[in-house]
Amino acid sequence: MRKVGFIFWVLSFASSLYFSLELYDKGINLDTNFLTFISETQKYDSAKRAQELYESRNLQYAIITLSSKNKKNILNFTPILAKKFCESKSVNYCNWSSEGGSNLYSFYYPYRKYLISPGQLDYFEKTDKKIIIKKRLQEIYSPLAMTESSQLSSDPLGIMSSFFRSLLPVGGFMPDEGLLISNSGGAFHSLITLKFDMNRPGIEKEVSHLVVEAKKRLALAPEIKMNAVSGLLYFSEGAKQSTTEASTLGLLSLCLVMLLIVLVWRSALPLLATFLTVIFSSSVGFLFCYLVYSRIHIACLLMGIGLMGVVSDYCIHYFSHNTEGHYGLQKSTLRAIIKPFLLSLLTSIVGYAGFYFTGVIVLQQLAVFAVFGLLAAALTVFFLYPCLPKNRKPLTGVVVSFICGFSRFRTSMMSLSPVTGKLAVICLILGVGLLPKIRFDDDVRKLQKPNSELAKQERIIQDLTGVKRQSQYYLIEAESDQQLLQTEEHLSRLNDKRPNRAELSRLSSWIPSHSRQSLSRTGYNNLQGLVVDFYIRLGVENPKWQASRVYRENSTPKLNVKDWMNRFGHLPVADQYLGKSGKYFYSIVRVESGNFMRESELPNGVKIITRTKEVSKFFKELRSNVMLMILCLVVAALVLIALFTGYKMALEVCLAPCMGLVWSALMCFWIVGYLDLFHILGLVLVFFLSIDYSFFNSFSLPGQDDSVDIGIGVSVFTTIFSFGVLIFSQTAAIHHFGMSVLIGITVSYLFTVQRGAKF
């Protein structure tokens, strides 16, 4: 039976390692965006789904600028670089020239009588005709009005020109020799806009590679500076940083654990067994996580590093009892530790599995990773360890003496007198009394520090284009697309009346609603008299004939959202139309600059959306639920242990975990200044890890005190090494998680008492 189990383990180990390496070689699809924490399986209303659709579309774009003091360099290199971008299979749409203006004109020309804005109509009605004609003549005869003159016969009053100017062109970029060029800050700048295929696997890496290759080409022209901004670039850089952290911290953790094992056992056997256990559990956890979630969040792998400390504990406890002579009092080592081992395994699985029910996708991934990793470690304990020989010599050495000596001192202090035990209880009560002083901060923006170089480039592009990335916008809801456009127009009119009005980017600037098109058509026909006067001033023969020809086309259909989307669905503004979700149609109105209107000022069907605040609110609710879960776990543990062993044993087992929970929370608050969700998640693990030490202390067999001391002592230090390295992470969420566990485990160990302590 033992041979069958061993063969089964070998086959499982080889298979998991092979498939893990295969996946790693193909490339792991990592997610580094902390705004994707909320599970995709969570139930949303239609507004939530529409909102997330817009946010996912926003990631498709990249804005690239080339800057040089020499305009010739810009004119030469921009088309070359842009065409290279366009050739990439990951790019769906690439815009770098000014040719799009003629396409817009040809599309809008049949609809020109429907494009007069309310502001233009108001201007025509309230302004003296002579003033209008004089201003229009100045526009036509100005040096910059070549296009205005060419459109004289079809657009005598420049209505279409005014319409195009109202479409919020990007900053100061204007058509110049076939490109979109801006001249500011003593340099010339060209603009390239890219739209990526988000369905391609590994799109973040491809986008980052495109930018890197483009900068290599520009090495031939060092006087040209390239800046690029895209959410995909942030994710790619975040993945690089986090992957480097995961490999570096994981290697450091593994080396520290291995070093401690070598110093304690001075044998290659426990080292090899620990290494195989960690590798097997990690590869199995990764495989199952990848099978369930094709895209793994980097935070799952970083927090999964702590699994090394948990599974290595099994090897440590086994080998601390697997010595012949003084320590080996049982023929079967597994039989000697089976009761505390199963309790430890069960509590660890329950602790990690509880993360699955939080509704946070990264924690659900961590739950899958850890649970299957723990089960793999248990298979190793049952099928591999019994095949290994016992140690021939008792454990000795400086490290062993220190661990045993410190454990005896700690136990003697806790067992010295009832006064010491009461003092520990008083410390616990005092800590609980200080908990209300703790301040919580659930701001999601503090969890992730953006790449400084990308942030610098983003600020440069924002200054050039005048378009700043907004975390807030208006979500419009209506029963039809036409009502949607009308609501946008109503919102725009209300915004225009405000003293400090915002600049709105909206679909209804490009597609007027049918009700506004009807008003425009009426106003267009009423302008015939003004057009006649205008042609008379120009000296055109038979002006009445000219005017009648201009307004002669009466069969042009109204402009529809569907027609416009079919023609210009590639434009960024098209992504603000979200279509139908549930029973309603949705669109987004972005604020390019200025202040938001207050909720009380908004018309029906309009809602202010703040993504970071919504995620922070979700984190706050989740944190409250996790805190309640911790309280329930403590109470449940006390009750269950008391039912089987009595209340004294329950107090003995739960004292150390409770001390770790309370004082870890207080010390993290004093260090950081606040607690967040990841501090609290660390406390959950503190409870389940520290209660294991109490299990091995309280349920150890008589005469095994030294084995227990060594096992628990080494386990504590390996856990500290595993979770302690996380405090070196540059990601605040991971740093806080590691800090919470490190402090909690240390405090718990100090208050873990040996069987027989007096209270």
Side-chain angles (χ1 to χ4, degrees):
M1 186 64 183
R2 180 178 295 184
K3 290 182 179 180
V4 173
F6 178 74
I7 294 173
F8 172 75
W9 183 89
V10 171
L11 293 176
S12 301
F13 177 84
S15 300
S16 64
L17 189 60
Y18 172 77
F19 287 114
S20 296
L21 292 175
E22 279 286 311
L23 288 176
Y24 184 81
D25 185 59
K26 292 179 180 179
I28 306 173
N29 194 7
L30 291 178
D31 185 2
T32 62
N33 182 16
F34 276 81
L35 293 182
T36 61
F37 263 38
I38 301 178
S39 172
E40 296 174 356
T41 61
Q42 188 171 357
K43 294 181 179 179
Y44 291 142
D45 57 23
S46 56
K48 288 279 188 181
R49 288 195 296 270
Q51 174 189 339
E52 292 190 351
L53 173 62
Y54 171 69
E55 288 160 356
S56 64
R57 288 179 177 179
N58 244 353
L59 294 176
Q60 300 177 85
Y61 294 97
I63 298 177
I64 297 171
T65 60
L66 301 182
S67 303
S68 175
K69 293 183 178 180
N70 189 335
K71 184 178 180 180
K72 186 176 180 180
N73 289 333
I74 295 296
L75 295 175
N76 290 338
F77 275 90
T78 300
I80 297 174
L81 203 61
K83 289 176 182 178
K84 287 293 183 181
F85 282 128
C86 297
E87 291 172 0
S88 172
K89 294 181 180 180
S90 59
V91 177
N92 278 343
Y93 168 74
C94 177
N95 181 40
W96 53 275
S97 70
S98 59
E99 296 176 357
S102 60
N103 294 332
L104 285 172
Y105 185 86
S106 63
F107 175 79
Y108 281 113
Y109 178 76
Y111 305 104
R112 62 191 180 280
K113 60 177 64 68
Y114 299 114
L115 302 178
I116 307 177
S117 68
Q120 286 177 304
L121 287 174
D122 189 60
Y123 170 73
F124 286 127
E125 290 178 4
K126 295 183 178 180
T127 308
D128 187 277
K129 290 184 179 181
K130 294 181 179 180
I131 296 177
I132 296 175
I133 292 174
K134 181 180 179 181
K135 183 177 179 182
R136 182 63 179 145
L137 289 172
Q138 290 174 345
E139 292 174 351
I140 290 177
Y141 293 122
S142 68
L144 301 177
M146 291 183 292
T147 56
E148 301 279 356
S149 300
S150 64
Q151 298 170 12
L152 181 61
S153 61
S154 60
D155 186 25
L157 297 182
I159 292 173
M160 286 188 68
S161 300
S162 299
F163 173 78
F164 287 136
R165 285 194 293 268
S166 70
L167 295 182
L168 292 177
V170 181
F173 287 88
M174 301 297 291
D176 190 347
E177 298 192 43
L179 302 178
L180 295 171
I181 292 181
S182 171
N183 184 5
S184 63
F188 294 92
H189 315 274
S190 63
L191 181 71
I192 303 173
T193 304
L194 305 177
K195 184 177 182 179
F196 301 107
D197 180 4
M198 298 299 290
N199 294 321
R200 289 182 63 84
I203 183 65
E204 295 95 338
K205 290 183 179 179
E206 290 191 23
V207 172
S208 179
H209 179 72
L210 278 176
V211 173
V212 170
E213 290 298 313
K215 290 185 176 180
K216 287 181 180 179
R217 294 188 186 97
L218 288 177
L220 300 174
E223 65 276 12
I224 298 180
K225 174 67 175 177
M226 172 178 161
N227 293 300
V229 61
S230 171
L232 295 175
L233 289 176
Y234 278 109
F235 295 162
S236 177
E237 290 301 317
K240 290 179 183 178
Q241 176 184 326
S242 300
T243 303
T244 302
E245 280 188 5
S247 58
T248 304
L249 297 180
L251 180 61
L252 176 61
S253 171
L254 187 61
C255 289
L256 290 173
V257 171
M258 296 301 178
L259 177 61
L260 181 62
I261 291 173
V262 169
L263 292 175
V264 171
W265 277 276
R266 291 179 293 178
S267 169
L269 189 60
L271 183 64
L272 178 62
T274 303
F275 180 77
L276 292 176
T277 305
V278 170
I279 295 298
F280 185 38
S281 61
S282 299
S283 60
V284 169
F286 170 74
L287 276 176
F288 276 92
C289 192
Y290 196 85
L291 288 174
V292 178
Y293 306 95
S294 58
R295 185 180 179 88
I296 302 177
H297 201 286
I298 190 63
C300 168
L301 297 183
L302 285 172
M303 289 190 289
I305 292 173
L307 188 65
M308 293 182 185
V310 178
V311 300
S312 62
D313 284 356
Y314 301 155
C315 182
I316 290 166
H317 286 294
Y318 185 92
F319 278 93
S320 65
H321 292 75
N322 194 43
T323 304
E324 290 183 353
H326 179 68
Y327 298 110
L329 301 178
Q330 296 288 325
K331 291 184 179 180
S332 172
T333 304
L334 187 59
R335 192 185 307 162
I337 66 168
I338 189 65
K339 187 174 182 179
F341 167 71
L342 290 177
L343 285 171
S344 173
L345 177 66
L346 180 61
T347 53
S348 296
I349 288 177
V350 170
Y352 276 107
F355 289 156
Y356 189 84
F357 303 98
T358 59
V360 180
I361 193 167
V362 66
L363 299 181
Q364 291 177 331
Q365 292 179 1
L366 177 61
V368 174
F369 180 89
V371 168
F372 284 99
L374 288 168
L375 292 175
L379 290 178
T380 307
V381 173
F382 286 114
F383 296 143
L384 175 64
Y385 290 179
C387 299
L388 302 177
K390 286 182 176 288
N391 296 330
R392 296 295 181 181
K393 298 179 181 179
L395 299 182
T396 58
V398 177
V399 177
V400 174
S401 299
F402 171 78
I403 292 174
C404 290
F406 184 80
S407 180
R408 293 190 190 101
F409 171 76
R410 174 180 53 82
T411 303
S412 64
M413 289 297 296
M414 291 298 296
S415 307
L416 185 61
S417 68
V419 175
T420 309
K422 291 178 181 178
L423 183 61
V425 175
I426 291 173
C427 289
L428 177 60
I429 295 173
L430 177 62
V432 173
L434 293 174
L435 289 180
K437 301 291 185 181
I438 292 178
R439 183 177 69 86
F440 297 97
D441 191 340
D442 300 292
D443 189 349
V444 69
R445 292 170 294 184
K446 295 183 178 181
L447 298 179
Q448 199 173 26
K449 185 179 180 181
N451 181 277
S452 58
E453 179 60 28
L454 288 177
K456 179 182 177 182
Q457 294 184 46
E458 181 176 6
R459 288 192 295 270
I460 293 173
I461 292 177
Q462 287 176 350
D463 293 337
L464 288 175
T465 61
V467 178
K468 298 187 181 297
R469 184 170 59 173
Q470 297 285 342
S471 60
Q472 292 180 312
Y473 41 84
Y474 298 116
L475 179 67
I476 315 296
E477 179 183 81
E479 295 181 354
S480 66
D481 56 2
Q482 285 304 310
Q483 186 180 346
L484 201 68
L485 297 175
Q486 292 176 25
T487 304
E488 285 192 13
E489 291 166 353
H490 181 43
L491 176 68
S492 179
R493 289 193 296 271
L494 293 176
N495 178 68
D496 290 339
K497 295 178 181 178
R498 303 176 74 239
N500 186 21
R501 70 185 187 91
E503 294 295 332
L504 304 182
S505 173
R506 53 191 175 89
L507 187 69
S508 55
S509 296
W510 299 71
I511 317 170
S513 65
H514 283 176
S515 60
R516 210 200 85 183
Q517 289 185 46
S518 298
L519 293 174
S520 299
R521 172 63 180 266
T522 302
Y524 194 91
N525 292 332
N526 292 339
L527 292 176
Q528 182 168 343
L530 182 60
V531 175
V532 171
D533 291 340
F534 180 68
Y535 276 113
I536 292 174
R537 292 291 297 271
L538 284 173
V540 177
E541 295 182 4
N542 196 357
K544 292 185 178 180
W545 178 84
Q546 286 277 13
S548 62
R549 185 175 68 83
V550 169
Y551 298 103
R552 189 168 52 193
E553 298 86 0
N554 297 317
S555 60
T556 306
K558 290 184 178 180
L559 180 59
N560 289 307
V561 174
K562 183 178 180 181
D563 297 334
W564 190 90
M565 291 293 294
N566 289 337
R567 183 70 178 271
F568 297 108
H570 60 274
L571 293 178
V573 72
D575 289 327
Q576 294 176 216
Y577 177 68
L578 307 178
K580 193 172 185 181
S581 177
K583 298 180 180 179
Y584 298 96
F585 288 80
Y586 293 91
S587 70
I588 292 292
V589 173
R590 291 176 47 212
V591 178
E592 303 292 357
S593 61
N595 295 326
F596 275 80
M597 299 169 65
R598 294 188 299 270
E599 290 280 358
S600 58
E601 299 176 293
L602 297 176
N604 293 333
V606 181
K607 179 183 178 183
I608 295 178
I609 298 296
T610 308
R611 179 58 170 164
T612 54
K613 289 184 179 179
E614 288 198 339
V615 177
S616 297
K617 181 181 178 182
F618 175 81
F619 275 20
K620 181 179 180 180
E621 295 174 355
L622 178 60
R623 173 179 53 77
S624 300
N625 292 335
V626 173
M627 291 170 64
L628 180 61
M629 182 178 75
I630 293 175
L631 180 61
C632 293
L633 288 173
V634 173
V635 174
L638 278 169
V639 172
L640 289 175
I641 297 173
L643 288 175
F644 290 99
T645 63
Y647 77 93
K648 289 185 178 181
M649 179 65 77
L651 289 175
E652 178 182 316
V653 171
C654 293
L655 174 65
C658 291
M659 290 291 288
L661 290 176
V662 172
W663 286 100
S664 176
L666 290 172
M667 294 178 72
C668 287
F669 169 64
W670 291 332
I671 294 172
V672 181
Y674 64 89
L675 293 186
D676 59 24
L677 171 65
F678 290 88
H679 286 118
I680 306 302
L681 292 174
L683 296 181
V684 176
L685 289 188
V686 167
F687 180 79
F688 284 104
L689 290 172
S690 59
I691 204 170
D692 291 350
Y693 309 148
S694 296
F695 284 146
F696 276 95
N697 261 327
S698 302
F699 297 102
S700 59
L701 297 177
Q704 293 186 317
D705 290 353
D706 287 343
S707 297
V708 172
D709 287 343
I710 293 173
I712 292 179
V714 177
S715 295
V716 167
F717 282 106
T718 55
T719 303
I720 289 175
F721 291 156
S722 299
F723 286 99
V725 296
L726 297 181
I727 66 174
F728 298 106
S729 173
Q730 298 299 310
T731 305
I734 309 302
H735 175 79
H736 294 168
F737 182 82
M739 177 192 300
S740 178
V741 176
L742 174 63
I743 296 174
I745 290 298
T746 303
V747 173
S748 298
Y749 176 59
L750 294 176
F751 285 90
T752 300
V753 295
Q754 193 65 274
R755 170 181 285 186
K758 304 294 183 182
F759 287 95

